[in-house]
Structure formats: C-alpha cells, structure tokens
Amino acid sequence: MTISSLVHRARALSTLPNKSAVVLLSGGLDSATTLAIARSEGLSAQTLCFDYNQRHRHEISAAAKISKQLGALSHRVARVDTGIFSQSALTDTNIAVPKHRSTNDMQASIPETYVPARNILFLSYALALAESIQASYIYIGANAVDYSGYPDCRPQFFECFQRVADVGTRAGVQSHAAPQIRAPLLHWTKRQIIQRGLQLGVDYSMTHSCYDPGPDGRPCTGCDSCILRAEAFTELGFRMDPALERFETSRAALNPNKFTGSPSCTT
C-alpha cells in the first residue's frame, strides 16, 4: 500500500462517526430504556446524572446501578447549585406535587413539577462532555406523547438545541460534526417504551421515577409519573409496577404471615 493510499485511508477513517455517546441518565424508566437503546445500537456509553437537591433524589442511586447494569463505560454525577432551580415542586418541599390527575389534566398546562430550563442546562452539560470526549451522540429519554406539559420535552425544543450545538461548538463550526442529539422515545407511548426496554433486558424494578417518594424511596403511586407508569404496566399485563413490587416483595419477606405476594407479569 502506497503512502498516498495510507493517507487517504486515514482521512476516510477520520470522517467516520465515533461510536460513543453521552447518555443522560436520571435513573427513571425512560432514561434507562434510552441507555439500553444506545447500547443496542452498538454505542459505548458514558452516563451523566444530576444532583440538584431534587425531592426524588433516590433516582441518583438508581442511575448509578442502572448505568453499571447496562454496561456504560463510566457514570458521572454533576452537582448543580441548589439555588439554581426554584419554584418547582421537585426542588421546593413547600410546593405540593400534583396527585391523582387524569392524562388530560397532565397535558392541559405546565405542572408544578416543571423545573425551570432543566433540560437546557442538562443538555448543555452533556454537550460539553460529548465534545470534550469526542462523542458523536447525546441521548436523552424525553417523551412528547405523555410529557406532562413540559415545554423542554417537545420536538421543537430538540430541533432548536441541535442548532445551538451546530453553531456553538468547535466541532460544529470547524468540521460540521457537532454531537447529534437523539431522543429515541420522543414519539413513543409509555407502553411502547416499556416493551422495547423489556426486549433489551431493562430491569424496571431498579428504576425510580416517582416525584414524591417515601423516605425509603417507595413510590407514592399518585403523582403523574407513578400514574403513567402504572397504567402502562397494567396494559402490558403486570399486576403492578415492578418498582413498587420490589417494595412489596421486601415487605413480604419481613412479614411473611401478613402479605401474600403478587404474581409476576402475566404476558
């Protein structure tokens, strides 16, 4: 092989996409499924979680376990100043988390659980990390079907943020190769998300999505997130949400004469 052909081959290889991704991993159902999808697409993954003194901070430990279980190369927890996010039920215990709402109510307006500009900040961190490690993709588990009214979970938002990445990074300006933002769950129902995750081996008992958990992390069963999960698992033939069943199983082990247990999925 000639020198010129070697140079040509090297240049060609340099244009191939890096098979790695930064995956935003909260520890919830959607982000766990998103990580599994990224891995199934042959990507090495580095996961990124955030500690912003959220009410549901049990998700932070869940994220670390899920990252390891699904084979991520590394897991980072970025700590955000607790004063940055305010006026949200997820960061201010004086604001009640909405409970027992219908799906229509969830989509009627932006709820109290909205955290100001959260996905803008999270994606900015992910973009900085992705460009630093030369990752080609950023994966986020946003969903626009049952997005609970969050404006930063809509397709328009991600289209605009991709434009920011394209014009605001060195990779985007110099080589037109800014990290690509992927939101694979954007148009899926919760049922479809769970079905895909089950196919990919996601253990949903490890996930935490509840906005208002008990001190031990037990799901409240009444917040929007708990309701959407419960409805989807019921549709799929589960007796209950696996994350909740984990607590029931633990209770049964401690009190075998007071609890009869619950069957596993009937599908």
Side-chain angles (χ1 to χ4, degrees):
M1 185 175 288
T2 67
I3 295 295
S4 61
S5 63
L6 284 171
V7 171
H8 178 76
R9 177 176 173 80
R11 286 175 177 171
L13 288 173
S14 70
T15 63
L16 293 176
N18 186 332
K19 297 292 285 183
S20 65
V22 171
V23 180
L24 289 168
L25 183 66
S26 68
L29 182 153
D30 293 339
S31 67
T33 307
T34 299
L35 173 57
I37 289 172
R39 298 287 293 120
S40 74
E41 293 175 351
L43 298 173
S44 61
Q46 300 201 34
T47 54
L48 179 61
C49 181
F50 291 86
D51 180 352
Y52 53 99
N53 200 35
Q54 58 266 52
R55 183 194 297 251
H56 54 308
R57 56 189 299 104
H58 291 282
E59 68 177 7
I60 299 173
S61 58
K65 295 173 184 176
I66 293 164
S67 179
K68 182 178 181 179
Q69 192 261 337
L70 291 177
L73 291 178
S74 70
H75 180 69
R76 293 174 172 84
V77 178
R79 290 170 176 82
V80 181
D81 188 309
T82 58
I84 295 297
F85 296 133
S86 61
Q87 300 302 311
S88 169
L90 296 190
T91 58
D92 187 343
T93 55
N94 293 317
I95 302 175
V97 172
K99 299 286 183 74
H100 308 295
R101 303 198 304 164
S102 68
T103 302
N104 287 338
D105 288 340
M106 293 178 196
Q107 296 180 344
S109 62
I110 299 174
E112 296 293 338
T113 50
Y114 167 71
V115 180
R118 180 175 60 178
N119 277 350
I120 296 175
L121 186 146
F122 286 4
L123 281 171
S124 295
Y125 270 72
L127 180 58
L129 175 59
E131 189 176 25
S132 296
I133 65 174
Q134 298 183 320
S136 296
Y137 307 102
I138 297 169
Y139 277 67
I140 182 171
N143 180 256
V145 174
D146 45 26
Y147 66 98
S148 295
Y150 298 142
D152 54 0
C153 287
R154 298 176 299 163
Q156 303 97 305
F157 168 74
F158 295 105
E159 292 168 5
C160 290
F161 200 91
Q162 183 64 65
R163 178 62 177 158
V164 169
D166 292 339
V167 303
T169 62
R170 180 168 60 184
V173 172
Q174 288 188 350
S175 58
H176 304 290
Q180 297 299 295
I181 298 167
R182 291 185 171 179
L185 315 183
L186 202 57
H187 301 291
W188 294 9
T189 65
K190 192 68 72 181
R191 175 174 177 165
Q192 290 172 323
I193 293 169
I194 294 170
Q195 285 178 315
R196 184 59 177 143
L198 292 173
Q199 293 169 353
L200 296 176
V202 176
D203 181 355
Y204 286 114
S205 71
M206 296 175 64
T207 63
H208 181 93
S209 304
C210 177
Y211 295 151
D212 192 24
D216 60 352
R218 181 186 177 89
C220 72
T221 73
C223 69
D224 293 354
S225 184
C226 282
I227 289 172
L228 292 171
R229 283 182 59 130
E231 289 177 349
F233 279 113
T234 298
E235 290 173 3
L236 289 170
F238 285 72
R239 186 180 182 276
M240 66 173 64
D241 183 332
L244 179 60
E245 187 168 28
R246 174 167 58 90
F247 285 89
E248 297 293 348
T249 301
S250 298
R251 190 176 72 177
L254 292 173
N255 301 282
N257 297 324
K258 296 182 180 180
F259 187 68
T260 60
S262 59
S264 56
C265 176
T266 58
T267 58

